[in-house]
Amino acid sequence: MQQIDYNRLTPEFWLPTSVKEMKARGWDYVDVVLFSGDAYVDHPSFGAAVIGRTLEAAGYRVAIVPQPNWRDDLRDFRKFGRPRLFFGVSAGAMDSMVNHYTANRRLRSDDAYTPGGKHGMRPDYPTVVYSTILKDIYPDVPLIAGGIEASLRRVSHYDYWQDKLRPSIILDAPVDLISYGMGEKTMLEIARRLDAGEDIGSMTDLRQTVVLLPIEAMPAESDSRNIVLHSFEDCLRTPRHQSENFRHVEEQSNCLDGGATLWQRCGKKAVKVNPMHPAMTQGEIDASFDLPYTRLPHPRYKGKHIPAYDMIRHSINLHRGCFGGCAFCTISAHQGKFIASRSKESVMREARQVVRMPDFKGYISDLGGPSANMYAMAGRNRKACAACRRPSCLHPKVCPNLNTDHRPLLDIYHAVDALPEVKKSFIGSGVRYDLAMHRCGEHDIDRASSRYIDELIEHHVSGRLKVAPEHTSDEVLDVMRKPSFTLFHDFKRRFDQVNRRCGLRQQLIPYFISSHPGCHETDMAELAVETKQLDFRLEQVQDFTPTPMTVATEIYFSGYHPYTGQRVYCAHSQQEKLAQRRYFFWYDRKQQPDIRRSLLRLHRPDLIKKLGM
């Protein structure tokens, strides 16, 4: 990892975003131009920076066009001219529709990935808009789509904002192929093969890519290495078939070896989804995080803050992947179920860079990952993992093959905290308290798990620890793939005990979701009573938002659970959703009359009394 002298930074330390910056490097052309819906922050949490730095390290000349203006004369799309190898497009770190709209489909007033939080600097569906413009201007230049939006819309998917089923985004965006998931290995292989003179149209078997082929290329039926999904048209006619498709998509995404090739007919075309890469090795993920990031926004944003960057500027990501498999989450669909963990040495190199940043005041904001405490965890028997198709290693109970040893993570905490410049390191990522509280029966591992909980609460909480029980109803939690709420009670007792012992007055802040598939209004009423009895006035709450590539969304759209085939109730209307959401705020006098009327309608006057109304 290059050690940055922050007193001598000039624009040449970033990848060029203008022709002037390109020429300052002595270049008269670029090999690759990346278009992103996000501002350019040269940090390993921002996808364009990761792909750009990966290609740069391989010797390629890369330019980035952040948040191009798609409304004017399109000069942003023309300024670097024709790249030698290809264009890349990405909506950014979020699906654009999640970025733009609330769960009620109302337009948001800000954008965390834009300078000043300004709204309106990217279109809806940037993947489609950017690629359409580029293909019109440069029809013969290879065009690759990547990022969350393209990744999670790689097969037919329900679009909540249009309220209809959509085909793979490759039918809407005129790209040559999609690089889904984490893209370093895929994009580097594409660059090398194009550089060697190979035609983009011949790259139909690249791992972790999606291509559009003539229908004749699709197998007639499934076999050991190919799964033929229900066609898009069939899913339109019979939503249950969309639900059945999703089980295949999720199971293959979670395979240790990448799984089988998926095929889906859309009209007269065949969408081919090639298998994922296996999880990165430690050497591979270290190489990505050790690239020479400045860890700063590009100088073009001088004097402007970027909210998403402010959240992670002094944070360190320890791993990728998540084996939690929550029904409403897309992490495993994009990053995979298997954990790719950085070495302690790589983490410490980054920590030493963070403490040298000019605005560092002694506090690491997060030593975490997709889930804070899955670092270095994996199955003991890899052969068993290779044969496994469980979407979650934690639900319905912790897999007995899972090594839940928290000692490597504690070792990281201790090493970072030992740096003289560090006053304290916090854990800002979500902690899986069910994982930390699990006891496997091995004395040393169970002792380390207990010690992890104590050290987390005593040393790594910035006044408030946020955890995500998500609900109180065991039936709803089962649909969510989350543990029973009784485990939250156990964790809260432990949290309170450690606080008393250490003389601390920290808060436990639970997250909850309303209107999740399987959740009825009475479930929300009982949630209100149970959290009231725990003395909570809830803050971190949200309505369920259907997003592409989650179990919960497939249930919401089809009405059927992909794994059981059974019907599941879902709140669809705004009236039903509002009726559920108001129970979060039972203590608000303005909400109480409506809650009282609802409980009478539900024949639950007993809950009115318990809520003190």
Side-chain angles (χ1 to χ4, degrees):
M1 177 177 289
Q2 175 183 333
Q3 296 305 324
I4 302 294
D5 182 349
Y6 284 99
N7 294 316
R8 297 186 177 182
L9 282 181
T10 59
E12 288 75 28
F13 280 81
W14 284 261
L15 297 171
T17 65
S18 68
V19 173
K20 180 180 178 181
E21 293 166 18
M22 178 187 76
K23 290 183 176 178
R25 288 186 167 217
W27 300 352
D28 54 5
Y29 70 91
V30 291
D31 297 311
V32 177
V33 184
L34 301 176
F35 290 82
S36 173
D38 294 339
Y40 171 32
V41 179
D42 194 38
H43 187 282
S45 294
F46 286 72
V50 173
I51 300 304
R53 289 296 188 184
T54 298
L55 294 170
E56 177 193 48
Y60 296 107
R61 298 178 176 185
V62 184
I64 293 180
V65 182
Q67 301 188 312
N69 190 337
W70 74 100
R71 299 184 179 101
D72 63 3
D73 60 3
L74 309 181
R75 67 186 68 182
D76 282 346
F77 294 88
R78 291 185 170 94
K79 63 183 178 182
F80 286 107
R82 183 185 303 270
R84 189 173 68 89
L85 297 178
F86 66 87
F87 288 116
V89 296
S90 169
M94 293 177 66
D95 185 281
S96 64
M97 305 308 281
V98 179
N99 180 283
H100 281 174
Y101 300 95
T102 69
N104 291 323
R105 297 189 180 97
R106 292 176 180 168
L107 192 65
R108 298 185 191 275
S109 59
D110 57 3
D111 183 338
Y113 292 86
T114 297
K118 184 179 178 181
H119 178 81
M121 296 301 289
R122 78 183 86 211
D124 289 352
Y125 309 105
T127 306
V128 177
V129 174
Y130 295 168
S131 60
T132 300
I133 292 169
L134 287 167
K135 211 53 157 173
D136 183 55
I137 300 172
Y138 304 102
D140 58 337
V141 176
L143 181 54
I144 319 299
I148 289 286
E149 184 167 270
S151 179
L152 301 184
R153 295 171 181 265
R154 59 187 181 260
V155 293
S156 63
H157 56 278
Y158 172 67
D159 188 295
Y160 173 67
W161 299 272
Q162 295 185 5
D163 192 24
K164 64 181 180 180
L165 195 70
R166 297 293 308 164
S168 166
I169 197 170
I170 202 169
L171 272 296
D172 294 321
V175 298
D176 293 287
L177 58 81
I178 291 170
S179 168
Y180 72 89
M182 307 305 285
E184 295 103 314
K185 294 171 75 171
T186 305
M187 297 299 282
L188 187 55
E189 185 174 359
I190 291 169
R192 285 173 171 163
R193 289 172 67 164
L194 287 171
D195 200 14
E198 190 171 340
D199 184 82
I200 190 68
S202 69
M203 298 183 197
T204 61
D205 296 314
L206 283 176
R207 274 187 176 258
Q208 222 158 294
T209 63
V210 181
V211 293
L212 194 61
L213 297 174
I215 196 65
E216 294 77 21
M218 190 170 83
E221 56 186 29
S222 300
D223 56 36
S224 61
R225 298 308 303 164
N226 295 277
I227 295 175
V228 178
L229 303 173
H230 294 294
S231 71
F232 171 63
E233 290 76 16
D234 192 15
C235 294
L236 279 175
R237 288 190 297 268
T238 310
R240 187 169 185 168
H241 288 166
Q242 172 68 17
S243 174
E244 292 171 358
N245 277 357
F246 178 79
R247 179 171 181 173
H248 291 301
V249 174
E250 183 176 51
E251 287 181 341
Q252 298 313 308
S253 297
N254 287 338
C255 284
L256 182 64
D257 65 353
T261 299
L262 301 175
W263 296 83
Q264 185 177 35
R265 179 172 185 153
C266 295
K268 297 181 180 180
K269 294 287 187 177
V271 175
K272 183 186 183 187
V273 182
N274 290 306
M276 291 186 80
H277 288 291
M280 279 183 158
T281 64
Q282 187 175 87
E284 288 171 337
I285 195 168
D286 279 0
S288 181
F289 278 89
D290 287 351
L291 292 168
Y293 304 101
T294 64
R295 295 184 59 87
L296 296 171
H298 190 276
R300 65 191 282 151
Y301 308 123
K302 186 175 181 180
K304 298 179 181 179
H305 80 285
I306 300 170
Y309 170 68
D310 292 343
M311 292 175 61
I312 53 88
R313 66 195 311 161
H314 299 139
S315 71
I316 299 173
N317 188 12
L318 307 182
H319 72 271
R320 289 181 184 168
C322 180
F323 49 71
C326 297
F328 46 82
C329 182
T330 60
I331 292 171
S332 66
H334 188 72
Q335 295 191 8
K337 181 175 77 171
F338 295 93
I339 305 301
S341 296
R342 301 170 64 185
S343 68
K344 177 181 175 182
E345 292 74 20
S346 176
V347 172
M348 294 308 296
R349 283 193 289 271
E350 185 172 1
R352 293 187 186 98
Q353 185 173 341
V354 171
V355 302
R356 278 193 292 272
M357 294 177 70
D359 59 347
F360 184 71
K361 306 299 182 185
Y363 299 97
I364 301 288
S365 62
D366 187 23
L367 286 172
S371 286
N373 55 320
M374 291 184 182
Y375 176 78
M377 293 185 182
R380 304 167 190 271
N381 180 346
R382 300 289 278 181
K383 289 184 178 179
C385 290
C388 180
R389 293 296 181 268
R390 277 181 59 173
S392 171
C393 301
L394 301 181
H395 183 270
K397 59 183 179 179
V398 178
C399 176
N401 186 46
L402 181 64
N403 178 2
T404 59
D405 193 350
H406 282 75
R407 283 175 292 184
L409 183 55
L410 286 169
D411 186 39
I412 294 283
Y413 291 178
H414 299 160
V416 172
D417 287 347
L419 292 174
E421 300 91 344
V422 174
K423 297 176 183 177
K424 198 165 186 177
S425 62
F426 299 116
I427 310 306
S429 302
V431 174
R432 287 298 301 239
Y433 59 84
D434 51 338
L435 179 60
M437 296 186 72
H438 173 69
R439 298 298 173 258
C440 68
E442 293 186 33
H443 178 265
D444 289 345
I445 291 179
D446 289 347
R447 185 179 177 187
S449 295
S450 182
R451 192 168 77 250
Y452 173 81
I453 295 172
D454 288 351
E455 290 195 23
L456 169 72
I457 297 169
E458 183 176 357
H459 300 298
H460 300 287
V461 176
S462 59
R464 314 172 94 201
L465 177 63
K466 297 177 181 179
V467 294
E470 308 294 7
H471 215 284
T472 58
S473 162
D474 281 351
E475 289 75 17
V476 178
L477 288 166
D478 186 55
V479 178
M480 289 178 162
R481 295 179 180 161
K482 297 286 284 187
S484 171
F485 194 66
T486 57
L487 198 61
F488 176 79
H489 282 272
D490 295 340
F491 183 75
K492 184 179 185 302
R493 280 193 291 270
R494 183 69 171 274
F495 182 85
D496 293 341
Q497 288 169 2
V498 175
N499 272 277
R500 284 194 298 270
R501 187 180 73 238
C502 300
L504 300 170
R505 300 184 65 183
Q506 299 176 141
Q507 289 181 287
L508 190 63
I509 308 296
Y511 283 73
F512 289 98
I513 298 176
S514 61
S515 302
H516 190 277
C519 181
H520 295 76
E521 191 177 340
T522 51
D523 296 316
M524 291 302 300
E526 289 169 353
L527 181 152
V529 169
E530 190 152 3
T531 54
K532 177 181 184 291
Q533 291 170 347
L534 288 169
D535 201 26
F536 284 120
R537 291 200 172 191
L538 303 180
E539 303 174 20
Q540 300 293 331
V541 298
Q542 66 181 62
D543 288 336
F544 167 67
T545 304
T547 57
M549 201 73 73
T550 71
V551 179
T553 297
E554 302 303 333
I555 297 172
Y556 180 90
F557 168 69
S558 71
Y560 293 92
H561 196 292
Y563 286 79
T564 67
Q566 296 178 347
R567 289 199 68 90
V568 179
Y569 167 77
C570 298
H572 278 91
S573 71
Q574 291 301 316
Q575 183 178 359
E576 290 174 304
K577 293 180 180 182
L578 178 60
Q580 290 202 20
R581 181 178 173 80
R582 64 166 59 103
Y583 285 100
F584 285 141
F585 310 105
W586 57 267
Y587 52 83
D588 185 343
R589 291 183 180 277
K590 294 179 181 178
Q591 300 285 353
Q592 288 178 354
D594 287 331
I595 291 174
R596 193 179 297 109
R597 281 191 292 270
S598 294
L599 289 173
L600 290 172
R601 172 175 51 81
L602 295 167
H603 307 293
R604 295 300 304 269
D606 57 312
L607 299 184
I608 297 175
K609 184 177 180 181
K610 289 179 180 179
L611 289 173
M613 293 181 185

